[in-house]
Amino acid sequence: MKNINFNSTYFKILILLLSFISTLIGTPFQGVTFFVWVVEFFLLVYLIKITNFRIKIHGKSLFILPNIYLFYNISSFLVGLFISENYWDFKALFNNSLGLFSSFIFYVALRSSFVKAFLTNYLRFSLPLIFVLIPFQIYGYGFYCVPTMFILLFWPVIKKPWNYLIIIFTVCLVVIDIGTRSTLLKNLAAFLIPFLYFFRNTFSRGFLEFFRKIFMFLPFLLLLLGFIGIFNIFQIGSGNNESLMIKEKSYTEKGLVETNLSEDTRSFLYEEAFYSANKLNFWIFGRTPARGHLSFTFGDLDPANRGERAQDEVAILNIFVWTGLVGVLLYFFIFYQATFLAINKSQNIFSKIVGLFVLFRWLFAWVEDPNVFNLTNIFIWILIAFCYSEEFRNMTNSEMINWINSVFFVKKKTFNFKH
């Protein structure tokens, strides 16, 4: 990979625009597809350019799975070009494929210099502009502030006052965006998992590895239990629980509407996706990103009048519908390998912390994280790259502490790390 100036004006502008389009819902720019596509296209071209098409980084077999996943998605996109029947199919194909192609950032994020530049430029130029968005009363401030969630993973060792500011900012973000359950859950996990730092000599690698394996396979077990009707995790606490009722801004109308945070909004999506796979027989390879699944709930909104929904809120369902069981298994093995490397092949506790958060994001992929080209998916792949990267995994604890603090322009120094 050739040397790139990650502090170029072009790079800074792209980060700023990516932050903006990550939370367009509720703004005057909502639905401006052309604007979104232009931003995503130029960022994707930039990522491809700086990887210099050297997808097999350093020629190592370690990256075989991400390579196969990327090329499989490209193949699915090409097939989608041939099966698309109308404007809406092509629009879905490009929208959905851009979400899948966010994995291109994996190859660049293997370098600590890129991740640092991304975070630094985001903190300097993008994050302060969140105050410009507040008058629009947008939905989902958490989608704009995804990079702060990454930084939160290091809060125990971030130098004062930045550690306090990050925590206070996260609390404010969760409160102002309380209607978005994903913001609450993901930031809570990003805050709690780093407590491992204080117990780094308590939990052995073997214990963490056992924990990792259990939760990597847990979604498949829960899916089976739900499928045969024994236990549905989405229905825990669901119902008319008034203590969890809040008022939030509606997508389609002004004013406040009541939302139950415990409401089951996922089971029917699984039912529709599996019903469609059985009826249309796309279990193995999916329908390509050009087509969605049959939907009894949202089918009336299909502009092509086929009763389909092109994209769901659940990442794993999108991958299944678009790329079939093959795509799901590839996605699973990438997370499996990433978490294995972070837990078992790292020289610092922070790689293990990131690995556990990646494990959480694997679980969360069965609940939300829709596959769109935004900060959420960009940082999922940055987290995965962090686990794969030998540069990150070979850092000592002190080196990792210096690296994360350098994001805040803290003068380089050696931080004491007590073993």
Side-chain angles (χ1 to χ4, degrees):
M1 186 185 298
K2 59 184 179 181
N3 293 326
I4 297 293
N5 179 15
F6 294 129
N7 289 311
S8 67
T9 302
Y10 184 70
F11 183 54
K12 294 173 183 177
I13 293 175
L14 284 177
I15 292 177
L16 178 60
L17 292 175
L18 176 65
S19 304
F20 183 64
I21 67 172
S22 294
T23 183
L24 287 181
I25 296 177
T27 71
F29 292 94
Q30 177 180 345
V32 185
T33 304
F34 179 75
F35 172 74
V36 174
W37 279 3
V38 168
V39 174
E40 294 175 342
F41 175 78
F42 277 103
L43 183 56
L44 185 60
V45 169
Y46 177 82
L47 293 175
I48 295 174
K49 177 182 177 182
I50 61 181
T51 57
N52 202 24
F53 287 103
R54 292 157 72 174
I55 301 302
K56 193 174 182 181
I57 306 296
H58 306 309
K60 293 187 177 180
S61 60
L62 180 65
F63 305 101
I64 286 179
L65 280 173
N67 294 347
I68 294 175
Y69 180 73
L70 176 60
F71 286 118
Y72 180 70
N73 286 334
I74 293 175
S75 300
S76 185
F77 167 77
L78 295 175
V79 173
L81 288 174
F82 287 99
I83 71 166
S84 294
E85 300 174 352
N86 52 51
Y87 164 80
W88 301 107
D89 287 349
F90 283 106
K91 182 177 180 179
L93 176 64
F94 284 100
N95 269 329
N96 297 335
S97 295
L98 282 168
L100 294 177
F101 294 159
S102 60
S103 64
F104 261 110
I105 203 169
F106 167 87
Y107 302 100
V108 195
L110 294 167
R111 301 176 65 176
S112 64
S113 58
F114 171 81
V115 181
K116 174 187 172 181
F118 197 112
L119 293 173
T120 298
N121 289 317
Y122 173 84
L123 291 175
R124 291 182 65 186
F125 304 107
S126 296
L127 188 59
L129 290 181
I130 190 174
F131 298 104
V132 177
L133 297 175
I134 291 178
F136 293 108
Q137 293 182 305
I138 65 170
Y139 169 86
Y141 292 95
F143 299 126
Y144 189 92
C145 301
V146 167
T148 64
M149 190 190 312
F150 178 93
I151 296 172
L152 188 62
L153 292 170
F154 300 87
W155 70 260
V157 297
I158 294 176
K159 189 177 180 180
K160 300 175 182 178
W162 296 109
N163 57 345
Y164 295 136
L165 291 175
I166 287 295
I167 293 174
I168 292 173
F169 177 83
T170 301
V171 172
C172 294
L173 175 65
V174 169
V175 171
I176 197 174
D177 204 20
I178 191 65
T180 310
R181 289 177 288 187
S182 63
T183 298
L184 171 63
L185 294 174
K186 288 185 283 192
N187 279 283
L188 183 62
F191 174 73
L192 293 178
I193 292 175
F195 273 96
L196 178 64
Y197 170 81
F198 301 108
F199 300 96
R200 56 192 178 276
N201 295 322
T202 302
F203 297 106
S204 66
R205 183 198 61 79
F207 173 82
L208 295 178
E209 172 63 7
F210 175 77
F211 181 86
R212 182 191 74 87
K213 288 181 178 178
I214 291 294
F215 283 90
M216 279 301 306
F217 290 98
L218 181 61
F220 296 109
L221 174 61
L222 292 175
L223 180 64
L224 176 61
L225 293 177
F227 187 76
I228 61 180
I230 295 178
F231 173 71
N232 185 347
I233 192 172
F234 294 121
Q235 294 181 352
I236 294 180
S238 63
N240 298 319
N241 189 338
E242 294 184 359
S243 64
L244 293 176
M245 296 294 289
I246 65 166
K247 291 183 181 295
E248 65 170 344
K249 188 174 183 293
S250 171
Y251 282 120
T252 57
E253 59 181 310
K254 295 182 179 179
L256 297 176
V257 294
E258 284 194 338
T259 297
N260 190 340
L261 293 181
S262 65
E263 183 181 359
D264 176 11
T265 59
R266 296 295 181 261
S267 295
F268 74 93
L269 296 178
Y270 279 87
E271 293 170 0
E272 291 179 348
F274 293 149
Y275 168 82
S276 301
N278 190 57
K279 183 177 179 63
L280 304 175
N281 193 26
F282 61 79
W283 290 96
I284 305 301
F285 299 109
R287 304 191 77 194
T288 80
R291 300 293 296 270
H293 63 75
L294 301 174
S295 177
F296 302 106
T297 309
F298 300 100
D300 291 341
L301 303 177
D302 181 7
N305 297 317
R306 292 176 300 199
E308 296 181 4
R309 196 184 191 201
Q311 184 178 120
D312 283 323
E313 294 83 359
V314 182
I316 206 70
L317 285 182
N318 290 327
I319 293 172
F320 168 66
V321 172
W322 301 338
T323 62
L325 290 175
V326 174
V328 170
L329 288 176
L330 287 172
Y331 200 64
F332 163 75
F333 283 120
I334 288 173
F335 275 84
Y336 190 92
Q337 187 177 36
T339 53
F340 172 82
L341 292 170
I343 298 297
N344 297 280
K345 303 295 182 180
S346 61
Q347 304 301 316
N348 61 81
I349 188 64
F350 304 102
S351 289
K352 294 177 174 60
I353 289 172
V354 172
L356 290 175
F357 189 64
V358 170
L359 177 62
F360 167 78
R361 297 306 292 265
W362 161 249
L363 298 173
F364 206 74
W366 294 73
V367 180
E368 197 169 285
D369 284 345
N371 311 74
V372 292
F373 198 98
N374 61 6
L375 283 174
T376 297
N377 279 284
I378 287 293
F379 266 85
I380 287 176
W381 286 102
I382 288 178
L383 287 163
I384 291 173
F386 192 106
C387 297
Y388 270 86
S389 171
E390 290 186 348
E391 182 181 1
F392 280 120
R393 289 188 288 109
N394 288 337
M395 286 185 185
T396 63
N397 288 314
S398 296
E399 289 172 338
M400 189 65 76
I401 293 172
N402 285 328
W403 177 81
I404 190 60
N405 278 281
S406 68
V407 171
F408 298 93
F409 313 103
V410 176
K411 185 177 180 180
K412 187 175 181 180
K413 59 178 287 188
T414 301
F415 291 81
N416 292 325
F417 184 89
K418 297 179 180 179
H419 293 278

